[in-house]
Amino acid sequence: MFYAYILRSEKHPDRFYYGFTTDLKTRLLAHNRGENLSTRHGCPWMLAWYGAFEKEPDAVAFEAYLKTASGKAFARKRLLTG
């Protein structure tokens, strides 16, 4: 499976990171160990949402959409409620 995911910084709860991976557990550990330059300063991170896709291009395309202004608005309204 291929995953598009959204992380929320526990340190800065209004900060999100949008990503793609084939292994959610390992990727979250890498983010929380500071191995990603983009997320190093927001540690620790928690998994706020993920979607599983059978095909890699679908997951990559959804990640790219989530990084757009309309994708972020969609995520706030539909995926990150609660």
Side-chain angles (χ1 to χ4, degrees):
M1 296 299 288
F2 303 93
Y3 303 93
Y5 63 91
I6 303 172
L7 301 180
R8 179 189 301 255
S9 170
E10 291 183 27
K11 187 176 181 180
H12 307 285
D14 58 335
R15 184 169 176 207
F16 295 92
Y17 176 82
Y18 306 86
F20 156 81
T21 189
T22 57
D23 186 340
L24 280 171
K25 289 180 184 180
T26 301
R27 190 70 177 127
L28 181 58
L29 288 172
H31 282 294
N32 282 324
R33 285 192 300 253
E35 295 175 11
N36 183 307
L37 292 175
S38 299
T39 57
R40 182 173 292 167
H41 299 291
C43 293
W45 293 89
M46 63 178 220
L47 186 62
W49 177 88
Y50 73 92
F53 299 83
E54 289 184 9
K55 298 177 183 176
E56 182 176 5
D58 295 337
V60 171
F62 197 71
E63 176 206 11
Y65 166 68
L66 288 174
K67 291 180 175 182
T68 67
S70 61
K72 289 176 183 177
F74 171 80
R76 280 192 305 272
K77 185 173 182 179
R78 301 289 182 200
L79 306 178
L80 300 171
T81 59

